[in-house]
Amino acid sequence: SDHVHALPHAPQLPHHKKSEMLAFRSKVWQTASKGLRPRGIHSSAARLAAETAAAPGAAKVTLNFYSPYKIIASGQEVDMVTIPGVEGNFGVLPNHVPVIAQLRPGVVSVHNGTEVTNFFVSSGFAIVHKDRTDICTVEVAKTDELDSEAVKKGLAEYTAAATSASNEMDRLKAQVGVEVYSAMSAAIGV
């Protein structure tokens, strides 16, 4: 399954603990980000984007896609973007209804004609306007830059840590690792 569930009843943490969890999530991401193979998107939305792109004078979506460390796209004209929101994946075509969505770990796919480029994101936000989409993510890498063996190993380690955690903070840290590595695993099919 490509849907990863968040913690259903996560306790509220004090501010200093939330910062610690965000730093930990970033560390988990950095450990794993070394190589995935891209997967094709075979959906009616992708076919519609390709057909729309083939039409003369076809409308485009302007994409701005950033992390604190790199710019993926700045003002790039694309046919469609698929985004992993916390409430499910969604596609953005020209004239999309405005939306602000929190991202979950998953794959952002950028469609241009028949070409699709996949990026794994750890978290962040997408702000969708009528003809522009802004994606701001904490960590991002092309899926082919992630290491499938590291993903398998990380998922096993964090699953074991979640099971054997002796306190709430250790359990929550391990569950963040499980969430990120599960999403990476689903993205690459391992």
Side-chain angles (χ1 to χ4, degrees):
S1 166
D2 67 344
H3 183 71
V4 178
H5 297 280
L7 296 173
H9 302 289
Q12 292 299 313
L13 299 172
H15 179 71
H16 71 281
K17 293 292 185 180
K18 288 179 183 176
S19 296
E20 184 179 332
M21 290 300 293
L22 287 172
F24 179 75
R25 183 180 286 233
S26 183
K27 182 179 175 186
V28 168
W29 167 257
Q30 289 169 359
T31 301
S33 58
K34 295 196 172 63
L36 290 184
R37 63 185 178 353
R39 295 177 53 171
I41 303 295
H42 303 288
S43 69
S44 57
R47 284 190 297 278
L48 176 61
E51 290 167 8
T52 302
K60 299 276 190 172
V61 174
T62 301
L63 177 63
N64 298 306
F65 189 0
Y66 307 98
S67 82
Y69 311 105
K70 63 175 118 176
I71 298 171
I72 302 300
S74 181
Q76 180 182 356
E77 298 290 311
V78 301
D79 297 321
M80 183 177 83
V81 181
T82 58
I83 299 172
V86 294
E87 296 187 15
N89 293 347
F90 64 99
V92 177
L93 292 165
N95 299 311
H96 196 282
V97 65
V99 136
I100 297 175
Q102 182 178 351
L103 304 180
R104 64 174 168 76
V107 177
V108 170
S109 297
V110 178
H111 301 254
N112 255 326
T114 58
E115 182 181 323
V116 179
T117 306
N118 295 315
F119 299 90
F120 188 87
V121 297
S122 62
S123 60
F125 288 91
I127 303 165
V128 179
H129 306 273
K130 181 180 176 185
D131 293 313
R132 185 181 90 228
T133 298
D134 302 318
I135 300 173
C136 302
T137 183
V138 176
E139 300 287 347
V140 61
K142 282 188 172 182
T143 54
D144 60 3
E145 295 173 353
L146 299 175
D147 178 8
S148 60
E149 290 305 313
V151 170
K152 289 179 195 175
K153 181 180 177 188
L155 182 55
E157 287 174 4
Y158 281 105
T159 300
T163 304
S164 65
S166 60
N167 62 59
E168 189 69 9
M169 182 54 85
D170 288 345
R171 186 183 66 75
L172 290 171
K173 284 181 178 180
Q175 287 200 293
V176 167
V178 169
E179 179 183 0
V180 172
Y181 279 104
S182 292
M184 286 182 190
S185 180
I188 60 173
V190 296

